[in-house]
Amino acid sequence: GFEMCAPVFFVAKGSMEGLPRVLGLPKAEVAFEMHDRGARYLVKAPLGGGFAGRVKRAIFSPINARAVASELREAHDTLLVRYTELDAARRQLSEQAGQLTVVNELGEELTKHTDLGALCDSILNLLIHRLGCTGAALWLEDKEQWTLLQRTGIDGPDQPFELKLTSAEHLIGKVQVWGYSRSQPGKVGILEQLVPFFAVALENARSFALLKAQQSQLESRVNERTHDLSRALEQLQQIDRQKTEFFANASHELRTP
């Protein structure tokens, strides 16, 4: 029911190797392999024992015990350092995995926006409330001309931290933030990882805005053309009525003596 802890198996291996030293024998040869439910050890015990061995152990056991204790202490310290390193690496990987999950969720949410105004609100709200910035600004670049889309928060006296937004290797905008700490616990590198999502969302919203503007212009032209055609049709109908009335009057005059 408990999660396996790999360092425990290494500690057990060291204990098995050093145990014969307590009896005055050489170190044991221990090999082990891990599987999904634990580990399997293969122990090759050193040769020795008998009366001569007992005499040797009686003479040298105090010295051997001190040597074994020293070796076990060194092994324990080494394993403790290694365990600390592994635990730090595990925490770092867990933090990075959590950050990637957050970045993907936020990125997917941003790329759903097709309205440029709503996208600006969402990006600046994320920067201020999720990443702890004191101020933020979103700019759009078009033919080397910069347009401020939206700004919020407090700018501050310091220079802003600026990130360029590119799409297909073309500069399309930039994000400026104030009061952003790149060393803030749990948020290291999140802003940088969100930049591609900012760029994709901004390019999509801009393309949608251009398409909407072109559609509106097309609808306006169609309405104008339709109005012109309606007026022309009315004029033709009026001319046709006048022609009909003229021929009717002419026919009446011709029939009347």
Side-chain angles (χ1 to χ4, degrees):
F2 295 97
E3 184 179 356
M4 289 197 305
C5 182
V8 172
F9 298 118
F10 288 96
V11 172
K13 178 177 179 293
S15 300
M16 293 179 185
E17 290 176 344
L19 186 61
R21 300 294 299 272
V22 179
L23 304 176
L25 299 174
K27 292 174 61 175
E29 297 180 8
V30 180
F32 81 101
E33 59 180 8
M34 296 185 63
H35 52 82
D36 56 347
R37 300 186 62 184
R40 182 180 291 106
Y41 293 88
L42 179 62
V43 182
K44 184 178 181 181
L47 300 176
F51 177 75
R54 289 196 294 272
V55 172
K56 181 179 179 181
R57 289 195 296 273
I59 296 174
F60 294 103
S61 60
I63 300 175
N64 291 335
R66 286 195 296 271
V68 170
S70 177
E71 291 180 1
L72 288 176
R73 189 179 304 108
E74 291 178 359
H76 175 267
D77 293 340
T78 301
L79 288 174
L80 185 60
V81 171
R82 182 58 178 165
Y83 175 78
T84 303
E85 293 175 351
L86 290 174
D87 187 59
R90 180 188 61 79
R91 288 198 301 269
Q92 183 178 4
L93 289 174
S94 177
E95 181 179 342
Q96 291 176 352
Q99 287 183 1
L100 289 175
T101 301
V102 172
V103 167
N104 286 331
E105 291 176 353
L106 295 176
E108 290 178 0
E109 182 65 26
L110 289 174
T111 52
K112 292 179 181 178
H113 290 288
T114 56
D115 181 72
L116 195 56
L119 175 64
C120 293
D121 291 338
S122 181
I123 290 178
L124 297 184
N125 181 69
L126 184 154
L127 294 172
I128 298 296
H129 297 98
R130 296 292 296 270
L131 300 184
C133 302
T134 59
L138 183 61
W139 296 77
L140 183 66
E141 194 274 343
D142 185 24
K143 299 179 181 179
E144 300 183 356
Q145 297 293 326
W146 289 97
T147 302
L148 178 62
L149 296 177
Q150 195 170 330
R151 175 181 290 176
T152 188
I154 303 173
D155 296 350
D158 300 331
Q159 290 295 323
F161 179 56
E162 189 171 287
L163 291 166
K164 302 293 185 182
L165 305 180
T166 59
S167 176
E169 300 182 356
H170 294 291
L171 183 64
I172 62 172
K174 64 181 178 182
V175 174
Q176 292 178 323
V177 293
W178 287 264
Y180 174 68
S181 176
R182 302 181 69 182
S183 59
Q184 191 173 359
K187 298 181 180 178
V188 179
I190 288 185
L191 178 57
E192 290 84 348
Q193 296 178 50
L194 283 171
V195 166
F197 292 100
F198 289 166
V200 171
L202 182 60
E203 179 66 17
N204 290 343
R206 185 174 69 167
S207 299
F208 185 81
L210 292 174
L211 180 61
K212 191 174 181 180
Q214 292 176 356
Q215 183 179 4
S216 178
Q217 292 177 0
L218 181 60
E219 290 178 355
S220 178
R221 291 178 181 176
V222 169
N223 291 334
E224 292 177 359
R225 186 59 177 165
T226 302
H227 180 68
D228 293 340
L229 291 174
S230 297
R231 291 182 57 187
L233 179 60
E234 289 178 0
Q235 292 176 357
L236 289 174
Q237 289 175 346
Q238 185 178 1
I239 293 172
D240 185 65
R241 285 194 300 270
Q242 292 175 353
K243 182 186 69 172
T244 301
E245 291 176 359
F246 172 77
F247 283 113
N249 293 334
S251 176
H252 176 70
E253 292 294 333
L254 289 173
R255 289 196 304 268
T256 304

